[in-house]
Amino acid sequence: MLIRLVSNSQPQSEPIRVLVTGAAGQIAYSLLYSIGNGSVFGKDQPIILVLLDITPMMDVLDGVLMELQDCALPLLKDVIATDKEEVAFKDLDVAILVGSMPRREGMERKDLLKANVKIFKSQGAALDKYAKKSVKVIVVGNPANTNCLTASKSAPSIPKENFSCLTRLDHNRAKAQIALKLGVTANDVKNVIIWGNHSSTQYPDVNHAKVKLQGKEVGVYEALKDDSWLKGEFVTTVQQRGAAVIKARKLSSAMSAAKAICDHVRDIWFGTPEGEFVSMGVISDGNSYGVPDDLLYSFPVVIKNKTWKFVEGLPINDFSREKMDLTAKELTEEKETAFEFLSSA
Amino acid sequence: MVLVTGAAGQIAYSLLYSIGNGSVFGKDQPIILVLLDITPMMDVLDGVLMELQDCALPLLKDVIATDKEEVAFKDLDVAILVGSMPRREGMERKDLLKANVKIFKSQGAALDKYAKKSVKVIVVGNPANTNCLTASKSAPSIPKENFSCLTRLDHNRAKAQIALKLGVTANDVKNVIIWGNHSSTQYPDVNHAKVKLQGKEVGVYEALKDDSWLKGEFVTTVQQRGAAVIKARKLSSAMSAAKAICDHVRDIWFGTPEGEFVSMGVISDGNSYGVPDDLLYSFPVVIKNKTWKFVEGLPINDFSREKMDLTAKELTEEKETAFEFLSSA
């Protein structure tokens, strides 16, 4: 365990404690700098950054620590690198759980779920024991939805609403595809929705999305006039984008994943802009879209005062209904398989 | 129009996002980003392009991926030359210089032919200083002053080491200097550096009261930091290199803050520090209106003199070796 104390002589606001797990890995490498330079929590928010990874990665983590020092980031009051949960989870304000067991060749889905249940049960229990009760937990490591649910179930004293998983990358990818098709920038596209599981059954829905064309806001279906593309190739392109990037780069999409994590966490912290909603995997309890309770499912949400709320009352057509049910079914099966292991883990 | 070469590589991967999100050229400056790499890397580059699209960066008006110099260097305002031939096992220094002279002669000629005459060229790929000089010599219609090489990473590392030693943040340390070659002969000099301690600005030597550390371990730590990171990470220091590139380019674009100077590898012509002319050597500079000027009149003690001459000697030798190849490349 290595601790580097870097203190500032000027008085500043109270630092927040932010944990990133899988800190020696690729996604963290693209993420840590953005956290440290103020673009997530704001230019006035000092941070104590805690980096957790498994023991064999401690040398690599030391290298990451060296680089963060060399980046000379004034908001980073302290950077702590550790392989111990009791150090990592102590007094946390934010936990970004990037680390998980990756799928290896020959690994069955069951094996992957079993290995990850073990990790996220332990981390959920550590959150329960050591973190602040107000901690916001963002799960990135796949299978994100089920890992998030596992962690939440293992941290009963922390409100379920504090747990979310990342579907913002898929959300950003959907915006980008619409933008490319229409020749605008992705920022001119808003209110896309990613429903369900962060997997190949995710449903990218633009029935309620809007695009700014020549200064006017138009519905995306109306602007594109290509329903078959929107129900066909668009959906599969977004679903398979991750695999396409891996195929081209030979590595996974760390840069865009890190950007999506920043967007997700920033929106939790500062709220969503007026008139816009975003996609987040959250606990489905109380939703009005016919999704079974007690699932960690991606919904359209608005956020205010660090609290998210379902966007209510969006009409759901038959095409959407089918897709939303399909991904709910997969999540229910994943949950059942995972919970077999939860008691024995 | 901003070009990044070696765009499919590690440093670019850490850099491109920062360029695209406005933190280098400002939140109001739209960018056409051009990505150049060698033909075998085009698939990987396509993946990088996909990710940049997925990042939804409003300032990126267009992203062009190419392996062709005539496309890459056209109408450039800024060229960040990250790509170079890396040293392979068994490679002699001569071979490395020869391979890189070929690359940077060609890129210099492309700059001369296709880029705007006002282009700012920042060379990162090693051996940075000599690659930069090669490119400049091969682009005679572009002012020599437009060419610089990165020593900001070493500069930032020096600040960080002083900050760690004194228990302050690196931003409380200023006016460190990196003299010479971006290599193990670089000389990190804090004789003129200042640190903010309890609200007051103090000279670093005075604050530390540990001359032997400042002349010994401090110097070697900074010189060898790159190797230390590679040893720990098993990969080179892309994150901190990208950050240093952003700092270097931002300072060219917006100027250096009042009372502060930074380190940049620039053409040595006209310097008052006894460094031979016609070398690409790192100096303390201030920047205004996108133009750098040597910081003049800093007293140089014997210890510094020796170190500055040593790195000048290495650069002269590198230049001579490189120029043997320049005519035949």
Coordinates of all heavy atoms in Angstrom, one line a residue, chain A residues 176-257:
Chain A
A176 N -24.7 9.6 -31.2 CA -23.6 9.7 -32.3 C -24.1 9.1 -33.6 O -23.9 9.7 -34.7 CB -22.3 9.0 -31.9
Q177 N -24.8 8.0 -33.6 CA -25.3 7.4 -34.8 C -26.4 8.2 -35.5 O -26.4 8.4 -36.7 CB -25.9 6.0 -34.5 CG -24.8 4.9 -34.2 CD -23.8 4.8 -35.3 OE1 -24.1 4.6 -36.5 NE2 -22.5 4.9 -34.9
I178 N -27.3 8.8 -34.7 CA -28.3 9.7 -35.2 C -27.7 10.9 -35.8 O -28.0 11.3 -36.9 CB -29.3 10.1 -34.1 CG1 -30.0 8.9 -33.5 CG2 -30.3 11.1 -34.6 CD1 -30.9 8.1 -34.5
A179 N -26.7 11.5 -35.1 CA -26.0 12.7 -35.5 C -25.3 12.4 -36.9 O -25.4 13.2 -37.8 CB -25.0 13.1 -34.5
L180 N -24.6 11.3 -37.0 CA -23.9 11.0 -38.2 C -24.9 10.9 -39.4 O -24.6 11.4 -40.5 CB -23.1 9.6 -38.1 CG -21.8 9.6 -37.4 CD1 -21.3 8.2 -37.0 CD2 -20.7 10.3 -38.2
K181 N -26.0 10.2 -39.1 CA -27.0 10.0 -40.2 C -27.6 11.3 -40.6 O -27.8 11.5 -41.8 CB -28.1 9.1 -39.6 CG -29.1 8.5 -40.6 CD -28.5 7.3 -41.3 CE -29.6 6.6 -42.2 NZ -29.0 5.6 -43.1
L182 N -27.7 12.3 -39.7 CA -28.4 13.5 -40.1 C -27.4 14.6 -40.4 O -27.8 15.8 -40.7 CB -29.3 14.0 -38.9 CG -30.6 13.2 -38.8 CD1 -31.3 13.5 -37.5 CD2 -31.5 13.5 -39.9
G183 N -26.1 14.4 -40.2 CA -25.1 15.4 -40.5 C -25.0 16.5 -39.5 O -24.7 17.6 -39.8
V184 N -25.4 16.2 -38.2 CA -25.3 17.2 -37.2 C -24.3 16.7 -36.2 O -23.7 15.6 -36.3 CB -26.6 17.5 -36.5 CG1 -27.6 18.0 -37.5 CG2 -27.2 16.2 -35.8
T185 N -24.0 17.5 -35.1 CA -23.1 17.0 -34.0 C -24.0 16.3 -33.0 O -25.2 16.6 -32.9 CB -22.3 18.1 -33.3 OG1 -23.2 19.0 -32.8 CG2 -21.3 18.7 -34.3
A186 N -23.4 15.4 -32.3 CA -24.1 14.6 -31.3 C -24.8 15.4 -30.3 O -25.8 15.0 -29.7 CB -23.2 13.5 -30.7
N187 N -24.3 16.6 -30.0 CA -24.9 17.5 -29.0 C -26.2 18.1 -29.5 O -26.9 18.7 -28.7 CB -23.9 18.6 -28.6 CG -23.2 18.1 -27.3 OD1 -22.6 17.1 -27.3 ND2 -23.2 19.0 -26.3
D188 N -26.5 18.0 -30.8 CA -27.8 18.5 -31.3 C -28.9 17.4 -31.1 O -30.0 17.7 -31.5 CB -27.6 18.9 -32.7 CG -26.7 20.1 -32.9 OD1 -26.7 21.0 -32.0 OD2 -26.0 20.2 -33.9
V189 N -28.5 16.3 -30.6 CA -29.5 15.2 -30.5 C -29.7 15.0 -29.0 O -28.7 15.0 -28.2 CB -28.9 13.9 -31.1 CG1 -29.9 12.7 -30.9 CG2 -28.5 14.0 -32.5
K190 N -31.0 14.9 -28.5 CA -31.2 14.7 -27.1 C -32.4 13.7 -26.9 O -33.2 13.5 -27.8 CB -31.4 16.0 -26.4 CG -32.6 16.8 -26.8 CD -32.7 18.1 -26.0 CE -34.1 18.7 -26.0 NZ -34.2 20.0 -25.5
N191 N -32.4 13.3 -25.7 CA -33.5 12.4 -25.2 C -33.7 11.1 -25.9 O -34.8 10.6 -26.2 CB -34.9 13.2 -25.2 CG -34.9 14.4 -24.3 OD1 -33.9 14.5 -23.4 ND2 -35.8 15.2 -24.3
V192 N -32.5 10.5 -26.3 CA -32.5 9.1 -26.7 C -32.7 8.4 -25.4 O -32.5 8.9 -24.3 CB -31.3 8.7 -27.4 CG1 -31.0 9.6 -28.6 CG2 -30.1 8.7 -26.5
I193 N -33.1 7.1 -25.5 CA -33.3 6.2 -24.3 C -32.6 4.9 -24.6 O -32.7 4.3 -25.7 CB -34.8 6.0 -24.0 CG1 -35.5 7.3 -23.8 CG2 -34.9 5.1 -22.8 CD1 -37.0 7.1 -23.8
I194 N -31.9 4.4 -23.6 CA -31.4 3.0 -23.6 C -32.3 2.3 -22.5 O -32.2 2.7 -21.4 CB -29.9 2.9 -23.3 CG1 -29.1 3.7 -24.2 CG2 -29.5 1.5 -23.3 CD1 -29.0 3.2 -25.7
W195 N -33.0 1.3 -23.0 CA -33.8 0.5 -22.0 C -33.1 -0.8 -21.7 O -32.5 -1.4 -22.6 CB -35.2 0.2 -22.6 CG -36.1 1.3 -23.0 CD1 -36.3 1.9 -24.2 CD2 -37.0 2.0 -22.1 NE1 -37.2 2.9 -24.1 CE2 -37.7 2.9 -22.8 CE3 -37.3 1.9 -20.7 CZ2 -38.7 3.8 -22.3 CZ3 -38.3 2.7 -20.2 CH2 -39.0 3.7 -21.0
G196 N -33.1 -1.2 -20.4 CA -32.8 -2.5 -20.1 C -31.4 -2.9 -19.7 O -30.7 -2.2 -18.9
N197 N -30.8 -3.9 -20.3 CA -29.6 -4.5 -19.9 C -28.4 -3.9 -20.7 O -28.6 -3.7 -21.9 CB -29.6 -6.0 -20.0 CG -28.5 -6.7 -19.3 OD1 -27.8 -6.1 -18.5 ND2 -28.5 -8.1 -19.4
H198 N -27.3 -3.6 -20.1 CA -26.1 -3.2 -20.9 C -25.5 -4.4 -21.6 O -24.5 -5.0 -21.2 CB -25.1 -2.5 -20.0 CG -23.8 -2.1 -20.7 ND1 -23.8 -1.2 -21.7 CD2 -22.5 -2.5 -20.5 CE1 -22.5 -1.1 -22.1 NE2 -21.8 -1.9 -21.4
S199 N -26.2 -4.9 -22.6 CA -25.8 -6.1 -23.2 C -26.4 -6.1 -24.6 O -26.9 -5.0 -25.0 CB -26.3 -7.4 -22.5 OG -27.7 -7.5 -22.8
S200 N -26.3 -7.2 -25.4 CA -26.9 -7.1 -26.7 C -28.4 -7.1 -26.8 O -28.9 -6.9 -27.9 CB -26.3 -8.3 -27.6 OG -26.7 -9.5 -26.9
T201 N -29.1 -7.2 -25.6 CA -30.5 -7.1 -25.7 C -31.0 -5.6 -25.3 O -32.2 -5.3 -25.3 CB -31.2 -8.0 -24.7 OG1 -30.9 -7.6 -23.3 CG2 -30.9 -9.5 -24.9
Q202 N -30.0 -4.7 -25.1 CA -30.4 -3.3 -24.9 C -31.2 -2.8 -26.0 O -31.1 -3.2 -27.1 CB -29.1 -2.5 -24.7 CG -28.3 -2.4 -26.0 CD -27.2 -1.4 -26.0 OE1 -27.3 -0.3 -26.4 NE2 -26.0 -1.8 -25.5
Y203 N -32.1 -1.9 -25.6 CA -33.0 -1.3 -26.6 C -32.8 0.2 -26.8 O -33.2 0.9 -25.9 CB -34.5 -1.7 -26.3 CG -35.5 -0.9 -27.2 CD1 -35.2 -0.8 -28.6 CD2 -36.6 -0.3 -26.7 CE1 -36.1 -0.1 -29.4 CE2 -37.5 0.4 -27.5 CZ -37.2 0.5 -28.9 OH -38.1 1.2 -29.7
P204 N -32.1 0.6 -27.9 CA -31.9 2.0 -28.1 C -33.2 2.6 -28.7 O -33.5 2.2 -29.9 CB -30.7 2.1 -29.0 CG -30.3 0.7 -29.4 CD -31.4 -0.2 -28.9
D205 N -33.9 3.5 -28.1 CA -35.2 4.0 -28.5 C -35.1 5.5 -28.7 O -34.8 6.3 -27.9 CB -36.1 3.7 -27.3 CG -37.5 4.3 -27.5 OD1 -37.8 4.8 -28.5 OD2 -38.3 4.2 -26.5
V206 N -35.5 5.8 -30.0 CA -35.5 7.3 -30.3 C -36.8 7.8 -30.6 O -37.0 8.9 -31.2 CB -34.5 7.6 -31.4 CG1 -33.0 7.3 -31.0 CG2 -34.8 6.9 -32.7
N207 N -37.9 7.1 -30.2 CA -39.3 7.6 -30.4 C -39.5 8.9 -29.7 O -40.4 9.6 -30.2 CB -40.2 6.5 -29.8 CG -40.4 5.3 -30.7 OD1 -41.0 5.4 -31.8 ND2 -39.9 4.2 -30.3
H208 N -38.7 9.2 -28.7 CA -39.0 10.5 -28.0 C -37.8 11.4 -28.1 O -37.8 12.5 -27.5 CB -39.3 10.2 -26.5 CG -40.3 9.1 -26.3 ND1 -41.7 9.3 -26.6 CD2 -40.2 7.8 -26.0 CE1 -42.3 8.2 -26.4 NE2 -41.5 7.3 -26.0
A209 N -36.9 11.0 -29.0 CA -35.6 11.9 -29.1 C -35.9 13.0 -30.0 O -36.8 13.0 -30.9 CB -34.5 11.0 -29.7
K210 N -35.1 14.1 -29.8 CA -35.3 15.3 -30.6 C -33.9 15.7 -31.2 O -32.8 15.4 -30.6 CB -35.7 16.5 -29.7 CG -37.0 16.3 -29.0 CD -38.1 17.2 -29.5 CE -39.4 17.1 -28.7 NZ -40.0 15.8 -29.0
V211 N -34.0 16.3 -32.4 CA -32.7 16.8 -33.0 C -32.9 18.2 -33.5 O -34.0 18.6 -33.9 CB -32.3 15.8 -34.2 CG1 -33.4 15.8 -35.3 CG2 -31.0 16.3 -34.8
K212 N -31.8 19.0 -33.3 CA -31.9 20.4 -33.7 C -31.4 20.5 -35.2 O -30.2 20.3 -35.5 CB -31.0 21.2 -32.8 CG -31.3 22.7 -32.8 CD -30.3 23.6 -32.0 CE -30.3 23.3 -30.5 NZ -29.4 24.2 -29.8
L213 N -32.4 20.8 -36.1 CA -32.1 21.0 -37.5 C -32.4 22.4 -37.9 O -33.5 22.8 -37.8 CB -32.9 20.0 -38.3 CG -32.5 18.5 -38.4 CD1 -33.4 17.7 -39.2 CD2 -31.0 18.4 -39.0
Q214 N -31.4 23.0 -38.4 CA -31.5 24.4 -38.9 C -32.2 25.3 -37.8 O -33.2 26.0 -38.0 CB -32.3 24.5 -40.2 CG -31.5 24.2 -41.4 CD -32.0 22.9 -42.1 OE1 -33.2 22.6 -42.0 NE2 -31.1 22.2 -42.6
G215 N -31.8 25.1 -36.6 CA -32.3 25.9 -35.5 C -33.6 25.5 -34.9 O -34.0 26.0 -33.8
K216 N -34.3 24.5 -35.5 CA -35.6 24.0 -35.0 C -35.4 22.6 -34.4 O -34.7 21.8 -35.0 CB -36.6 24.0 -36.1 CG -37.1 25.4 -36.5 CD -38.4 25.5 -37.2 CE -38.7 24.2 -37.9 NZ -39.9 24.3 -38.8
E217 N -36.2 22.4 -33.4 CA -36.2 21.0 -32.8 C -37.2 20.1 -33.4 O -38.4 20.5 -33.4 CB -36.4 21.1 -31.3 CG -35.3 20.5 -30.5 CD -35.4 20.7 -29.0 OE1 -36.5 20.5 -28.5 OE2 -34.4 21.1 -28.4
V218 N -36.8 19.0 -33.9 CA -37.7 18.1 -34.6 C -37.6 16.7 -34.0 O -36.5 16.3 -33.5 CB -37.2 18.0 -36.1 CG1 -38.2 17.2 -36.9 CG2 -37.0 19.3 -36.7
G219 N -38.6 15.9 -34.0 CA -38.6 14.5 -33.6 C -37.6 13.8 -34.5 O -37.6 14.0 -35.7
V220 N -36.9 12.8 -33.9 CA -35.9 12.1 -34.7 C -36.6 11.2 -35.8 O -36.1 11.2 -37.0 CB -35.0 11.2 -33.8 CG1 -34.2 10.2 -34.7 CG2 -34.0 12.1 -33.1
Y221 N -37.6 10.5 -35.4 CA -38.3 9.7 -36.5 C -38.8 10.6 -37.6 O -38.7 10.2 -38.8 CB -39.5 8.9 -35.8 CG -39.2 7.5 -35.4 CD1 -38.6 7.3 -34.1 CD2 -39.4 6.4 -36.2 CE1 -38.3 6.0 -33.7 CE2 -39.1 5.1 -35.8 CZ -38.5 4.9 -34.5 OH -38.2 3.7 -34.1
E222 N -39.3 11.7 -37.3 CA -39.8 12.7 -38.3 C -38.7 13.2 -39.1 O -38.8 13.3 -40.4 CB -40.4 13.9 -37.5 CG -41.5 14.6 -38.2 CD -41.8 15.9 -37.4 OE1 -42.2 15.8 -36.2 OE2 -41.8 17.0 -38.0
A223 N -37.6 13.5 -38.5 CA -36.4 14.1 -39.2 C -35.8 13.1 -40.2 O -35.4 13.4 -41.3 CB -35.4 14.6 -38.3
L224 N -35.7 11.8 -39.7 CA -35.0 10.8 -40.5 C -35.9 10.2 -41.6 O -35.4 9.9 -42.7 CB -34.5 9.7 -39.6 CG -33.1 9.9 -39.3 CD1 -32.7 8.9 -38.1 CD2 -32.2 9.6 -40.5
K225 N -37.2 10.1 -41.3 CA -38.1 9.5 -42.3 C -37.6 8.1 -42.8 O -37.6 7.8 -43.9 CB -38.4 10.4 -43.5 CG -39.0 11.8 -43.0 CD -39.6 12.5 -44.2 CE -39.9 14.0 -44.0 NZ -40.0 14.4 -42.6
D226 N -37.1 7.3 -41.8 CA -36.5 6.0 -42.2 C -36.7 5.1 -41.1 O -35.8 4.6 -40.4 CB -35.0 6.2 -42.6 CG -34.5 4.9 -43.3 OD1 -35.2 3.9 -43.3 OD2 -33.3 5.0 -43.7
D227 N -38.0 4.7 -40.9 CA -38.4 3.9 -39.7 C -37.6 2.6 -39.8 O -37.2 2.1 -38.7 CB -39.9 3.6 -39.7 CG -40.7 4.8 -39.3 OD1 -40.1 6.0 -39.4 OD2 -41.8 4.7 -38.9
S228 N -37.5 2.0 -41.0 CA -36.9 0.7 -41.0 C -35.4 0.7 -40.5 O -34.9 -0.2 -39.9 CB -37.0 0.0 -42.4 OG -36.0 0.6 -43.3
W229 N -34.7 1.8 -40.9 CA -33.3 2.0 -40.4 C -33.3 2.1 -38.9 O -32.5 1.5 -38.2 CB -32.7 3.2 -41.0 CG -31.2 3.3 -40.6 CD1 -30.1 2.7 -41.1 CD2 -30.7 4.2 -39.6 NE1 -29.0 3.1 -40.5 CE2 -29.3 4.0 -39.5 CE3 -31.3 5.2 -38.8 CZ2 -28.5 4.8 -38.7 CZ3 -30.5 5.9 -37.9 CH2 -29.1 5.7 -37.8
L230 N -34.3 2.9 -38.4 CA -34.3 3.2 -36.9 C -34.7 2.0 -36.1 O -34.3 1.8 -35.0 CB -35.3 4.3 -36.6 CG -34.8 5.7 -36.9 CD1 -35.9 6.8 -36.8 CD2 -33.6 6.1 -35.9
K231 N -35.5 1.1 -36.7 CA -35.9 -0.1 -36.0 C -34.9 -1.3 -36.3 O -34.9 -2.3 -35.6 CB -37.3 -0.6 -36.4 CG -38.4 0.4 -36.0 CD -39.7 -0.1 -36.5 CE -40.8 0.8 -36.0 NZ -42.1 0.2 -36.3
G232 N -34.1 -1.1 -37.3 CA -33.2 -2.2 -37.7 C -31.8 -1.9 -37.5 O -31.2 -2.1 -36.4
E233 N -31.1 -1.4 -38.5 CA -29.7 -1.2 -38.5 C -29.2 -0.3 -37.4 O -28.2 -0.6 -36.7 CB -29.2 -0.6 -39.8 CG -27.7 -0.9 -40.2 CD -27.3 -0.2 -41.4 OE1 -28.0 -0.3 -42.4 OE2 -26.2 0.5 -41.4
F234 N -30.0 0.7 -37.1 CA -29.6 1.7 -36.0 C -29.5 0.9 -34.7 O -28.5 1.0 -34.0 CB -30.6 2.8 -35.9 CG -30.6 3.5 -34.6 CD1 -29.5 4.4 -34.3 CD2 -31.6 3.4 -33.6 CE1 -29.4 5.1 -33.1 CE2 -31.5 4.1 -32.4 CZ -30.4 4.9 -32.1
V235 N -30.5 0.1 -34.4 CA -30.5 -0.7 -33.1 C -29.3 -1.6 -33.1 O -28.6 -1.7 -32.0 CB -31.9 -1.5 -33.0 CG1 -31.8 -2.4 -31.8 CG2 -33.0 -0.5 -32.8
T236 N -29.1 -2.4 -34.1 CA -28.0 -3.4 -34.1 C -26.6 -2.7 -34.0 O -25.7 -3.2 -33.4 CB -28.1 -4.4 -35.2 OG1 -28.2 -3.6 -36.5 CG2 -29.3 -5.3 -35.1
T237 N -26.5 -1.6 -34.7 CA -25.2 -0.8 -34.7 C -24.9 -0.4 -33.3 O -23.7 -0.6 -32.8 CB -25.3 0.4 -35.6 OG1 -25.5 0.0 -37.0 CG2 -23.9 1.2 -35.6
V238 N -25.9 0.2 -32.6 CA -25.6 0.6 -31.2 C -25.3 -0.6 -30.3 O -24.4 -0.6 -29.5 CB -26.8 1.4 -30.7 CG1 -26.6 1.8 -29.2 CG2 -27.0 2.7 -31.5
Q239 N -26.1 -1.6 -30.5 CA -25.9 -2.8 -29.6 C -24.5 -3.4 -29.8 O -23.9 -3.9 -28.9 CB -27.0 -3.9 -30.0 CG -28.4 -3.6 -29.5 CD -29.4 -4.6 -30.0 OE1 -29.1 -5.3 -31.0 NE2 -30.6 -4.6 -29.4
Q240 N -24.0 -3.4 -31.1 CA -22.8 -4.1 -31.4 C -21.6 -3.1 -31.5 O -20.5 -3.6 -31.9 CB -22.9 -4.8 -32.7 CG -24.0 -6.0 -32.6 CD -24.4 -6.5 -33.9 OE1 -23.7 -6.2 -34.9 NE2 -25.4 -7.3 -34.0
R241 N -21.8 -1.9 -31.1 CA -20.7 -0.9 -31.3 C -19.4 -1.3 -30.5 O -18.3 -1.1 -30.9 CB -21.1 0.5 -30.9 CG -20.1 1.6 -31.1 CD -19.9 1.9 -32.6 NE -19.4 3.3 -32.7 CZ -19.3 3.9 -33.9 NH1 -19.5 3.3 -35.0 NH2 -18.9 5.2 -33.9
G242 N -19.7 -1.8 -29.3 CA -18.5 -2.2 -28.4 C -17.7 -3.2 -29.1 O -16.5 -3.1 -29.2
A243 N -18.4 -4.2 -29.7 CA -17.6 -5.3 -30.4 C -16.9 -4.7 -31.6 O -15.8 -5.1 -31.9 CB -18.6 -6.4 -30.8
A244 N -17.5 -3.8 -32.3 CA -16.9 -3.2 -33.5 C -15.6 -2.4 -33.1 O -14.6 -2.5 -33.8 CB -17.9 -2.2 -34.2
V245 N -15.7 -1.7 -32.0 CA -14.5 -1.0 -31.6 C -13.3 -2.0 -31.2 O -12.2 -1.8 -31.5 CB -14.8 -0.1 -30.4 CG1 -13.5 0.5 -29.8 CG2 -15.7 1.1 -30.8
I246 N -13.7 -3.1 -30.5 CA -12.7 -4.1 -30.1 C -12.1 -4.7 -31.3 O -10.9 -4.9 -31.4 CB -13.3 -5.2 -29.2 CG1 -13.7 -4.6 -27.8 CG2 -12.4 -6.3 -29.0 CD1 -14.4 -5.6 -26.9
K247 N -13.0 -5.0 -32.3 CA -12.5 -5.6 -33.5 C -11.4 -4.7 -34.2 O -10.4 -5.1 -34.7 CB -13.6 -5.9 -34.5 CG -13.2 -6.7 -35.7 CD -14.5 -7.3 -36.3 CE -14.0 -8.1 -37.6 NZ -14.6 -7.6 -38.8
A248 N -11.7 -3.4 -34.3 CA -10.8 -2.5 -34.9 C -9.6 -2.2 -34.1 O -8.4 -2.2 -34.6 CB -11.6 -1.2 -35.2
R249 N -9.8 -1.9 -32.8 CA -8.6 -1.4 -32.0 C -7.9 -2.6 -31.4 O -6.7 -2.4 -30.9 CB -9.1 -0.6 -30.8 CG -9.5 0.8 -31.1 CD -9.6 1.6 -29.8 NE -8.3 1.8 -29.2 CZ -8.1 1.6 -27.9 NH1 -9.0 1.2 -27.1 NH2 -6.9 1.8 -27.5
K250 N -8.5 -3.8 -31.3 CA -7.9 -4.9 -30.6 C -7.9 -4.7 -29.1 O -7.4 -5.4 -28.3 CB -6.5 -5.3 -31.0 CG -6.3 -5.4 -32.5 CD -6.9 -6.6 -33.1 CE -6.7 -6.7 -34.6 NZ -7.6 -5.8 -35.4
L251 N -8.5 -3.6 -28.7 CA -8.7 -3.3 -27.2 C -10.1 -2.7 -27.0 O -10.7 -2.2 -28.0 CB -7.6 -2.3 -26.8 CG -6.2 -2.7 -26.8 CD1 -5.3 -1.5 -26.7 CD2 -5.9 -3.6 -25.6
S252 N -10.6 -2.7 -25.8 CA -11.9 -2.2 -25.6 C -11.9 -0.7 -25.6 O -10.9 0.0 -25.5 CB -12.6 -2.8 -24.4 OG -12.0 -2.3 -23.2
S253 N -13.2 -0.2 -25.6 CA -13.4 1.3 -25.9 C -13.2 2.1 -24.6 O -14.1 2.7 -24.1 CB -14.8 1.5 -26.5 OG -15.7 0.6 -25.8
A254 N -12.0 2.2 -24.1 CA -11.7 2.9 -22.9 C -12.0 4.3 -23.0 O -12.6 4.9 -22.0 CB -10.2 2.6 -22.5
M255 N -11.6 5.0 -24.0 CA -11.7 6.5 -24.1 C -13.2 6.9 -24.0 O -13.6 7.7 -23.3 CB -11.1 7.0 -25.5 CG -11.1 8.5 -25.6 SD -11.2 9.1 -27.3 CE -9.7 8.3 -28.0
S256 N -14.0 6.2 -24.9 CA -15.5 6.6 -24.9 C -16.2 6.1 -23.6 O -17.1 6.8 -23.1 CB -16.1 6.1 -26.1 OG -15.8 4.8 -26.4
A257 N -15.7 5.0 -23.1 CA -16.3 4.5 -21.8 C -16.0 5.5 -20.7 O -16.9 5.9 -19.9 CB -15.8 3.2 -21.4

